[in-house]
């Protein structure tokens, strides 16, 4: 139904669709049909419970059922059919006067009303024709009403209304007044409490009046003579409200009343207050939102049910996002996949910032310009709270194959899935969980088309960790500086293992040269074209050098550092200057461990020179391989290091200068 209206009209938003007269009328028809089917079931139940008094008989159809029902309702007042037929008016004991004779032994207007109330308009026309002698032109009016879809044409209504008002002014039959009111020929300000004694009857009468007056508002604008949908909505929700209908004692009845009058948002907001009924409210909201007919509030900070001043009277909006998040709060920690299933309905709702102020950086992804949506925000918060990253986002196996997570089922495109993973990684990075962020950036690189940017982020974070973990503890005898800002004090061997895998994967990929990240300082750029990957290789080589020193493999450590070419090997001015120039181009991450590397290298030279002189060494320092350096070469290298330290534009601590000078004197 809604697709046809959406395709055949210019309505593109839920509000435009809901305000279309054709849509409103179709929904009213559905509401009336529902109330009529319930009334038929009620009549059958009533008749079946008293078969002796009802006297249903074997004739099928609505007319026989109505007669049996009226046998019960009017059993104490029903006159003998032969007597009643000779009187134009039958007076009842309770003061109700039935006009225009009887049909099937029952008063005429109750029969017509019950047929209309049961939704069988043809049976009502049949009854009216059978009593046409006393009804004048009413059968033709009723036929026009039925063929016109529960309403008369404006011309007929204008022509008949004045005469009908005069007739009803002197009528004392409540059923007759009610039927004329339903046809749009009577005043709509009456409640007809003598007939409509239940809420369902009252609602059916009011909806019938709205349907009958839908095309005549412009002909007479008096509030006493017409009733439109907005007026009915305000009457039920604002004038009467929850207290009048005793909503807290019978919530489903009030919920039904709001739904049948197209107040879906108010109905959902009311039902969501009850813990036992909240799931039904949420699922109805999901269905309406999927059909694009739910009016959603403009801000996620709005109350659960609110009203926009620009909306037509009677319309309210539901804070759909808040309703979903309030519902999932009770089980999201125990069942994250189920919570993600509900969160994916929020993918079309944008948000400028995350729900938690600590995740403000979650929107800054490499090369990304798309804004965050509530699905991304909620999944990010859920992942941070539960730490179930593999379950929610997936993981990359040792073989390099990505294992899917919960979001794979609800992400519409690989890029959307990649964006969600990157948002979680960025939030973890902002909170200092660098190790988890590195893993998720690598996962993001394997989850969509954009790979270089996310590998670059992972490499940058690994460099950040390695810069403070390259040197082994007390390898150079210097006071230990504070490590990187990361939660949990990451283990050096673990970081190096992750860095090695990342370097191997990046080298084998199609993008061997990773440029700088958008937030990487200029001082962290590599000397040979900006490259975080080259910085990573330098740091891994320095880590290998320190491991060799820790293992007391002095000559191997010196040879490994010579391959890097960071320090001069002789005191010639040209070589010292070239290495000083190289130092000025090194990233800051590589410069940080160089003071420790200088002392460790000088220590290696001291031990090798002592061995060359035949000096006694500690048992742990004896090596099987012979030294490749002569004493003269060692002294030249020591002089070169001292000259290098004096010329680099880098402020070293006094302990470094003192230690280097002392060890040079030992070599000399």
């Amino acid at each position: 139904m809604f697709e046809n209206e959406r395709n055949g009209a210019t309505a593109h938003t839920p509000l435009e669709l809901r305000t279309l007269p054709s849509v409103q009328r179709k929904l009213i028809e559905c509401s009336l049909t529902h109330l009529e089917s319930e009334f038929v079931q009620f009549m059958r139940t009533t008749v079946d419970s008293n078969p002796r008094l009802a006297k249903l008989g074997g004739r099928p159809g609505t007319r026989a059922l109505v007669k049996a029902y009226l046998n019960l309702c009017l059993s104490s007042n029903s006159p003998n059919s032969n007597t009643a037929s000779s009187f134009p008016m039958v007076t009842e004991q309770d003061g109700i006067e039935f006009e225009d004779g009887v049909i099937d032994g029952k008063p005429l207007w109750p029969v017509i009303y019950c047929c209309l109330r049961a939704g069988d308009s043809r049976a009502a026309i049949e009854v009216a024709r059978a009593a046409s002698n006393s009804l004048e032109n009413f059968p033709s009016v009723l036929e026009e009403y039925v063929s016109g879809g529960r309403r008369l044409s404006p011309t007929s209504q204008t022509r008949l209304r004045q005469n009908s008002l005069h007739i009803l002014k002197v009528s004392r039959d409540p059923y007759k007044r009610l039927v004329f009111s339903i046809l749009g020929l009577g005043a709509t300000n009456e409640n007809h409490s003598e007939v409509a004694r239940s809420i369902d009857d009252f609602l059916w009468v009011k909806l019938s009046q709205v349907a009958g007056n839908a095309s005549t508002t412009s002909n007479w604008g008096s509030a006493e003579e017409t009733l439109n949908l907005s007026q009915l909505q305000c009457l039920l929700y604002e004038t009467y409200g929850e207290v009048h209908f005793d909503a807290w004692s019978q919530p489903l009845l009030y919920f039904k009343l709001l739904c049948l009058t197209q107040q879906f948002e108010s109905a959902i907001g009311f039902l969501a207050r009850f813990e036992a009924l909240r799931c039904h409210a949420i699922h109805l909201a999901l269905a309406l939102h999927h059909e694009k007919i739910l009016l959603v509030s403009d801000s996620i900070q709005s109350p659960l049910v609110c009203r926009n001043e620009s909306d037509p009277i009677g319309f309210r909006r539901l804070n759909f996002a808040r309703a979903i998040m309030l519902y999932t709060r009770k089980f999201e920690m125990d069942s994250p996949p189920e919570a993600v299933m509900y969160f994916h309905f929020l993918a079309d709702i944008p948000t400028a910032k995350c729900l938690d102020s600590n995740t403000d950086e979650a929107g800054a992804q490499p090369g990304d310009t798309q804004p965050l949506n509530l699905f991304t925000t909620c999944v990010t918060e859920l992942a941070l709270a539960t730490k179930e990253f593999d379950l929610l986002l997936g993981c990359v196996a040792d073989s390099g194959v990505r294992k899917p997570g919960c979001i794979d089922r609800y992400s519409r495109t690989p890029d959307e899935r990649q964006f969600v993973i990157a948002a979680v990684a960025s939030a973890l990075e902002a909170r200092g969980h660098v190790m988890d962020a590195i893993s998720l950036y690598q996962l993001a690189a394997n989850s969509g088309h954009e790979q270089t940017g996310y590998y670059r982020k992972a490499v940058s974070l690994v460099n950040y960790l390695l810069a403070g973990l390259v040197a082994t503890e007390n390898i150079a005898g210097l006071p230990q500086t504070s490590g990187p800002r990361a939660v949990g004090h990451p283990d050096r061997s673990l970081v190096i293992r992750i860095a090695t895998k990342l370097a191997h994967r990046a080298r084998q990929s199609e993008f061997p040269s990773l440029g700088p990240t958008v937030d990487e300082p200029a001082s962290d750029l590599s000397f040979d074209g900006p490259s975080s990957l080259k910085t990573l290789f330098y740091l891994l080589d320095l880590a290998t050098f320190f491991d060799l020193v820790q293992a007391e493999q002095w000559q191997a450590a010196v040879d490994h550092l010579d391959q890097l070419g960071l320090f001069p090997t002789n005191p010639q001015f040209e070589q010292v200057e070239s290495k000083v120039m190289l130092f000025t181009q090194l990233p800051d991450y590589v410069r940080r461990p160089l003071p420790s590397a200088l002392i460790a290298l000088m220590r290696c030279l001291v031990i090798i020179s002592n061995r060359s002189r035949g000096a006694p060494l500690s048992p742990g320092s004896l090596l099987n391989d012979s030294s490749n350096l002569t004493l003269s070469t060692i002294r030249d290298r020591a002089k070169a290091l001292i000259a290098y330290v004096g010329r680099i534009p880098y402020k070293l601590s006094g302990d470094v200068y003192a230690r280097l000078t002392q060890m040079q004197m030992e070599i000399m």
Side-chain angles (χ1 to χ4, degrees), residues 140-195:
S140 61
V141 173
L142 186 58
E143 288 182 11
E144 181 183 348
Y145 171 81
V146 173
S147 60
R150 296 182 187 264
R151 60 180 171 180
L152 298 173
S153 64
T155 304
S156 298
Q157 209 165 26
T158 303
R159 176 172 51 84
L160 298 171
R161 186 175 179 84
Q162 194 62 37
N163 184 44
S164 299
L165 289 177
H166 175 71
I167 294 175
L168 295 178
K169 190 174 183 179
V170 297
S171 174
R172 299 183 61 184
D173 190 334
Y175 289 93
K176 183 176 182 179
R177 293 200 305 270
L178 177 53
V179 171
F180 271 73
S181 177
I182 291 172
L183 268 60
L185 300 177
T188 60
N189 59 337
E190 292 187 45
N191 288 330
H192 303 281
S193 57
E194 305 97 326
V195 178

Side-chain angles (χ1 to χ4, degrees), residues 331-332 334-342 382 391-392 406 410:
F331 59 80
E332 61 183 11
D334 298 327
S335 182
E338 186 176 352
V340 174
M341 178 184 66
Y342 287 95
L382 182 62
L391 175 64
L392 296 175
C406 293
Y410 306 110

Side-chain angles (χ1 to χ4, degrees), residues 268-527:
I268 293 169
F270 169 75
L271 203 63
R273 300 186 214 166
F274 299 86
E275 181 69 26
L277 302 175
R278 187 172 299 149
C279 61
H280 304 296
I282 296 301
H283 292 150
L284 175 61
L286 293 176
L288 295 177
H289 182 69
H290 178 73
E291 294 296 331
K292 302 187 185 307
I293 60 174
L294 183 70
L295 302 183
V296 180
S297 59
D298 297 331
S299 172
I300 61 175
Q301 307 300 330
S302 303
L304 191 60
V305 178
C306 61
R307 168 167 167 75
N308 281 9
E309 294 300 328
S310 59
D311 291 345
I313 297 175
F315 284 88
R316 286 168 179 79
R317 292 178 178 265
L318 177 72
N319 192 332
F320 182 63
R322 173 172 289 188
I324 294 295
M325 289 185 283
L326 287 176
Y327 176 64
T328 57
R329 184 174 297 172
K330 64 180 181 181
F331 59 80
E332 61 183 11
M333 298 300 293
D334 298 327
S335 182
E338 186 176 352
V340 174
M341 178 184 66
Y342 287 95
F343 289 155
H344 93 276
F345 286 94
L346 307 178
D348 295 328
I349 302 179
T351 179
K353 59 182 179 179
C354 292
L355 301 178
D356 193 322
S357 59
N358 292 329
T359 60
D360 288 342
E361 300 179 23
Q365 307 302 333
D368 256 324
T369 57
Q370 58 176 317
L372 281 175
N373 56 57
L374 277 181
F375 172 64
T376 303
T377 300
C378 292
V379 171
T380 299
E381 290 297 317
L382 182 62
L384 294 177
T386 61
K387 304 296 183 184
E388 296 284 355
F389 303 120
D390 293 350
L391 175 64
L392 296 175
L393 309 176
C395 61
V396 178
D398 295 336
S399 60
V401 178
R402 180 184 180 276
K403 295 182 179 180
C406 293
I407 63 169
D408 289 72
R409 181 178 179 183
Y410 306 110
S411 298
R412 291 166 290 191
T413 62
D415 289 340
E416 184 179 52
R417 175 185 62 200
Q418 186 180 54
F419 181 75
V420 174
I421 297 173
V424 179
S426 183
L428 287 169
E429 178 187 355
R431 296 188 177 192
H433 299 274
V434 182
M435 296 294 291
D436 291 330
I438 292 171
S439 299
L440 290 185
Y441 276 128
Q442 295 183 72
L443 177 63
N446 285 271
S447 302
H449 297 96
E450 171 61 32
Q451 296 185 359
T452 305
Y454 295 115
Y455 270 126
R456 185 190 305 133
K457 285 289 294 183
V459 170
S460 177
L461 291 179
V462 169
N463 292 343
Y464 170 73
L465 290 179
L466 272 180
L469 299 173
V470 164
T472 55
E473 293 185 4
N474 297 324
I475 190 67
L478 294 176
Q480 292 296 304
T481 58
S482 58
R485 184 183 65 86
V487 176
H489 303 289
D491 179 69
R492 179 179 182 271
S493 60
L494 176 61
V495 174
I496 291 178
R497 185 163 61 251
I498 292 175
T500 303
K501 290 183 179 179
L502 181 58
H504 180 70
R505 185 174 301 162
R507 176 168 282 176
Q508 288 184 334
S509 64
E510 299 178 357
F511 35 90
S513 179
L514 296 177
T517 61
V518 292
D519 54 354
E520 189 175 0
S523 59
D524 289 346
L525 304 182
S526 178
F527 66 96

Side-chain angles (χ1 to χ4, degrees), residues 29-82:
E29 288 284 347
C30 293
S31 299
L32 289 171
T33 301
H34 171 75
L35 291 171
E36 289 162 357
S37 64
E38 284 195 336
F39 182 71
V40 171
Q41 184 61 36
F42 168 74
M43 286 196 300
R44 287 175 178 167
T45 303
T46 304
V47 169
D48 292 343
S49 63
N50 297 277
R52 185 179 61 84
L53 295 177
K55 301 177 182 179
L56 177 60
R59 183 179 180 181
T62 303
R63 186 170 173 178
L65 179 62
V66 168
K67 178 183 176 181
Y69 173 72
L70 292 178
N71 282 337
L72 296 175
C73 296
L74 305 176
S75 59
S76 61
N77 302 322
S78 296
N80 182 274
S81 59
N82 296 329

Side-chain angles (χ1 to χ4, degrees), residues 63 70 74 77-92 96-113 127-128 130-136 171-176:
R63 186 170 173 178
L70 292 178
L74 305 176
N77 302 322
S78 296
N80 182 274
S81 59
N82 296 329
T83 306
S85 60
S86 60
F87 294 93
M89 180 179 295
V90 178
T91 303
E92 302 296 336
I96 297 178
E97 298 179 352
F98 297 119
E99 300 176 357
D100 300 323
V102 296
I103 190 76
D104 296 335
K106 296 300 172 188
L108 173 63
W109 290 108
V111 175
I112 293 178
Y113 164 76
V127 171
S132 58
N133 293 334
S134 59
L135 296 183
E136 299 180 354
S171 174
R172 299 183 61 184
D173 190 334
Y175 289 93
K176 183 176 182 179

